[in-house]
Amino acid sequence: MSMIIPGPDGRPRYRAASSADAYEAFAPKIFPRERWLQIRGLVREKYSATGLETALQEFLGEARFSQALVHCFVPTYDLLSQDIHVFDSAQSTRSSGDDILMRHVVRGATAAPTYFDPFVMGPPIFDHKRVLVDGGLYANNPSMLALTQVARHYADSDVLVVSLGTGRTPAEAVSENGQDWGLARWAKPLLHIVANGTNKVIDLELQHFLGSERYFRFQVDLPEECDLDDASPERFQDLRRLGEDLVATMSNDLDKVCSLLKRP
């Protein structure tokens, strides 16, 4: 989102590298390391959204979704309607009632259940009330969703999909045959099956429809399970190293993407 905000010269206000730097700076405030929060998380949301909203205010400011430099889609899920809701920057330019602050879009799209309260939108922020949670619950890999939106708005266009993963966690080793498992035993394997299985299906579908010259997936395998809220300096160091290793390993594909993007 940071790279679609216009700066004073009309170009992106931030570079891609700014996203990683900003997250490393703000994450300790968003996910404070306090032991009592582990207990709090058993009965209510684990963190106050104050740190997250402060970071979004500082980074995104008062920029509105209609100001996006490119056509942008952001998936969320609305608990009130029990349906998906995809924010569309082009729709924001056509309807003032749909034109909201970018930081509000991101707040709703990152309201991960158990970590933050859902984001409640309504007048004057939005024309009607919505209770939004993380769109990653159903679009953890939003590539296929993006492709359907492109097909809807830009029929017969030349499509290039570049999908950036955030790290694939290893599955917990299973030495049993799954007999007589109850909810407690199935809970963790099910989460991994749903997330990993859905991502793999989307990957296969896009490879089939677009081929290796029009679809690129950049994903890194994490050596160990990485908690979403681990904002320790050691974790950031590990993640940066993994990212650098991925760039080195997939440099040929990155060169292809750059070449295709530069083509008139």
Side-chain angles (χ1 to χ4, degrees):
M1 183 69 75
S2 61
M3 290 175 287
I4 67 172
I5 304 173
D9 59 355
R11 296 173 61 82
R13 187 184 304 176
Y14 301 105
R15 296 165 51 248
S18 301
S19 298
D21 293 337
Y23 187 70
E24 188 166 357
F26 287 117
K29 302 173 185 177
I30 298 171
F31 303 115
R33 301 175 71 182
E34 299 178 21
R35 189 175 298 277
W36 68 272
L37 291 171
Q38 304 297 327
I39 300 174
R40 165 179 162 148
L42 295 175
V43 295
R44 55 177 302 181
E45 82 287 349
K46 193 172 181 180
Y47 300 101
S48 164
T50 301
L52 173 60
E53 291 172 355
T54 299
L56 293 176
Q57 172 71 64
E58 184 168 337
F59 210 59
L60 302 178
E62 300 303 308
R64 291 196 167 272
F65 206 32
S66 61
Q67 296 176 270
L69 294 175
V70 296
H71 195 171
C72 184
F73 307 101
V74 179
T76 63
Y77 190 86
D78 182 7
L79 292 178
L80 281 187
S81 65
Q82 290 291 293
D83 199 0
I84 68 172
H85 177 71
V86 180
F87 286 104
D88 181 340
S89 64
Q91 177 64 26
S92 295
T93 64
R94 294 190 294 265
S95 171
S96 59
D98 287 320
D99 190 17
I100 64 175
L101 295 172
M102 287 188 185
R103 56 186 169 88
H104 289 156
V105 174
V106 178
R107 172 66 177 88
T110 56
T114 73
Y115 290 94
F116 301 109
D117 276 334
F119 185 54
V120 181
M121 298 180 62
I125 294 177
F126 206 60
D127 277 357
H128 53 280
K129 186 176 181 181
R130 293 189 184 278
V131 179
L132 301 177
V133 294
D134 187 358
L137 292 172
Y138 69 90
N140 193 41
N141 179 350
S143 302
M144 184 59 75
L145 176 62
L147 183 61
T148 59
Q149 295 291 341
V150 168
R152 173 187 173 196
H153 293 278
Y154 308 99
D156 301 321
S157 59
D158 187 15
V159 176
L160 169 66
V161 174
V162 180
S163 177
L164 306 179
T166 57
R168 181 171 46 230
T169 58
E172 180 181 314
V174 176
S175 58
E176 307 170 47
N177 58 15
Q179 303 299 301
D180 299 322
W181 283 8
L183 179 61
R185 189 67 183 86
W186 268 110
K188 199 166 185 178
L190 275 178
L191 289 175
H192 189 272
I193 291 169
V194 171
N196 188 58
T198 300
N199 288 339
K200 188 60 177 179
V201 167
I202 291 173
D203 188 43
L204 290 172
E205 290 171 342
L206 287 168
Q207 286 181 20
H208 173 75
F209 288 121
L210 298 177
S212 61
E213 296 303 311
R214 282 292 178 273
Y215 170 64
F216 295 86
R217 173 70 169 168
F218 297 95
Q219 177 66 293
V220 62
D221 288 316
L222 301 173
E224 60 185 12
E225 187 171 352
C226 179
D227 292 332
L228 182 150
D229 57 344
D230 186 349
S232 64
E234 297 79 13
R235 179 59 68 188
F236 280 114
Q237 184 177 1
D238 290 342
L239 293 176
R240 282 187 181 274
R241 177 180 51 79
L242 288 169
E244 292 166 357
D245 291 345
L246 179 67
V247 169
T249 302
M250 304 194 69
S251 60
N252 289 339
D253 282 345
L254 286 168
D255 289 342
K256 287 181 182 179
V257 169
C258 292
S259 178
L260 289 167
L261 290 175
K262 288 193 300 183
R263 196 184 66 182

